[in-house]
Amino acid sequence: MSRDSLSRVKNLNLGKWRGLLVNRDRIFKIPRIAFNTKLLLSSWGGANQFLMQFAPYLASRSVEVVYELDPLVTHIFILDVRPIETCTFTINDIKHFKEMYPDVRVINRVNNCDKKYTQEDYVPGYENLDSQMMSASNIATDTIFISNWLRDYFVDKGYKKYSSSKVIQNAADAETFYAGQLEWDGREPLKLVTHHWSDNWMKGYKVYQQIDELIASGELEGFEFTVIGRWPKEIEWKKTHTHGPCQGVELANKLREHHMYITASLWEPGGMHFIEGMQCGLPVVYHEDGGGIPEVASLAGVGFTDDVKSALLKAMDSYRVLRDAVIERAPSGKTLCRKFEEVIF
């Protein structure tokens, strides 16, 4: 097949492929992975942050990375089951593709569930995420969960066959998110930070409001608080510093201006925000009902349920121990990429 023919093949849509005769066994196969979510070079969710480091990693290993299905695709990687604006092809498209090319391998990275959303979040495309996730796994060669909590959640829902499925927890790009030299000296205010792309109240904004109130009233002395990203429009901050959404180098530089991270996010399947903080050298104060968050945050953090003030004060008292722990134990983006590479190949 000529280079021009290959170019035309890549531009064909799924419906036209049915009449196309392509002998895949006779083509020299370079691994070609199709992700069903397009890569955005802007602030977005955790799946996009994962893709921003994994796609270049694969390309550096001479793997072709594409975002559409074509007859030369050898692997399909599901990052999101929802038919939302970032979706490049749907689960039904994958089913049809598998009928045509049954040798293609499909990896489903399970990173979402119904529990993390409130009823108000269920706009079209968001409802029944649990069943959508497991429908995708029914056609997948491999199902990977981003936390033990998420795997157990689905097992408890009745999906027992995934009880031994592999878990690969999140990590951020280590070339961008790394620890800086700034450490709390015990004299200046301890600079606390959080960041979220989503303005969903489930991200912990009631707790962040409480921290704002405690600092404003003088009940929580010795702390400064910064919120990066977006927040519910109803909130009027009193003493909290704010910064709009950012990502990559800009975000990492902002995080490294602080001493400690706070996440009050509830029922997160895995979470990326606090991990970016950890990799920037920030110990974490985390909500114990954070879903998959405590699995990683507990490596260098203090948990809380109702009493965030006590947790913050305990973390302040333990800062040196926690700082040493986060430097030693923070997740590694390179390790994450290697683990997924092992699954794929």
Side-chain angles (χ1 to χ4, degrees), residues 12-305:
L12 291 172
N13 64 39
L14 190 67
K16 294 179 180 178
W17 291 345
R18 293 189 179 277
L20 184 67
L21 297 177
V22 176
N23 188 341
R24 286 155 59 93
D25 293 334
R26 296 184 62 186
I27 297 174
F28 176 74
K29 287 186 183 178
I30 297 174
R32 185 178 182 86
I33 298 182
F35 289 93
N36 82 323
T37 297
K38 63 183 176 182
L39 178 60
L40 299 178
L41 300 178
S42 61
S43 298
W44 199 256
N48 191 63
Q49 300 307 107
F50 167 75
L51 186 56
M52 286 182 72
Q53 57 183 317
F54 193 43
Y57 176 89
L58 291 171
S60 72
R61 299 288 195 277
S62 298
V63 176
E64 293 185 350
V65 175
V66 297
Y67 301 93
E68 295 179 352
L69 294 173
D70 67 59
L72 299 184
V73 165
T74 59
H75 298 73
I76 297 171
F77 207 110
I78 302 171
L79 283 179
D80 202 326
V81 297
R82 300 169 296 175
I84 58 177
E85 59 188 290
T86 54
C87 178
T88 53
F89 51 87
T90 68
I91 303 304
N92 281 335
D93 292 336
I94 298 172
K95 289 179 181 178
H96 295 320
F97 191 87
K98 281 275 291 180
E99 291 172 3
M100 298 167 62
Y101 305 111
D103 61 326
V104 69
R105 288 193 61 190
V106 179
I107 296 92
N108 185 26
R109 177 178 176 266
V110 181
N111 64 347
N112 216 337
C113 66
D114 286 324
K115 193 172 181 66
K116 68 174 286 189
Y117 296 104
T118 62
Q119 190 63 38
E120 289 75 19
D121 296 314
Y122 284 106
V123 296
Y126 283 74
E127 68 276 11
N128 300 320
L129 273 176
D130 289 354
S131 60
Q132 290 186 63
M133 284 287 175
M134 294 300 98
S135 292
S137 282
N138 285 337
I139 61 172
T141 313
D142 297 280
T143 293
I144 310 298
F145 293 89
I146 64 170
S147 69
N148 291 285
W149 175 86
L150 187 60
R151 183 182 62 186
D152 294 344
Y153 168 87
F154 279 105
V155 170
D156 290 344
K157 284 270 187 175
Y159 301 99
K160 306 294 185 185
K161 66 179 181 178
Y162 299 109
S163 60
S164 59
S165 291
K166 196 173 184 66
V167 171
I168 301 178
Q169 293 158 328
N170 284 333
D173 180 6
E175 294 185 5
T176 301
F177 296 93
Y178 55 84
Q181 298 301 313
L182 180 65
E183 296 185 359
W184 183 54
D185 61 11
R187 297 186 298 274
E188 63 177 321
L190 190 150
K191 296 179 179 179
L192 186 68
V193 67
T194 194
H195 76 288
H196 296 282
W197 164 247
S198 172
D199 57 5
N200 187 329
W201 280 96
M202 295 279 280
K203 294 297 182 181
Y205 288 105
K206 289 184 179 179
V207 173
Y208 305 149
Q209 274 189 301
Q210 183 183 359
I211 295 171
D212 182 56
E213 293 279 355
L214 288 169
I215 293 175
S217 68
E219 292 182 61
L220 190 60
E221 295 183 355
F223 284 87
E224 291 182 0
F225 186 33
T226 299
V227 173
I228 300 171
R230 301 193 298 158
W231 49 87
K233 61 182 181 296
E234 298 90 340
I235 295 179
E236 294 184 5
W237 302 108
K238 295 181 177 179
K239 294 288 287 185
T240 296
H241 307 292
T242 60
H243 190 285
C246 57
Q247 55 94 32
V249 173
E250 182 185 2
L251 172 60
N253 286 338
K254 291 296 295 183
L255 292 176
R256 282 189 288 268
E257 293 174 1
H258 297 81
H259 304 118
M260 189 172 292
Y261 198 92
I262 171 80
T263 173
S265 193
L266 299 173
W267 312 122
E268 284 275 358
M272 185 68 84
H273 58 293
F274 75 100
I275 285 176
E276 291 171 337
M278 290 181 73
Q279 289 187 211
C280 286
L282 310 185
V284 185
V285 175
Y286 61 92
H287 202 297
E288 291 180 355
D289 290 332
I293 289 175
E295 294 176 25
V296 180
S298 60
L299 297 174
V302 174
F304 71 94
T305 50

Side-chain angles (χ1 to χ4, degrees), residues 292-330:
I293 289 175
E295 294 176 25
V296 180
S298 60
L299 297 174
V302 174
F304 71 94
T305 50
D306 300 320
D307 189 356
V308 67
K309 177 182 175 181
S310 294
L312 288 168
L313 293 174
K314 180 179 179 181
M316 174 186 270
D317 290 341
S318 307
Y319 174 79
R320 173 47 52 197
V321 172
L322 294 174
R323 167 74 176 185
D324 290 344
V326 80
I327 295 298
E328 179 183 351
R329 301 174 184 173

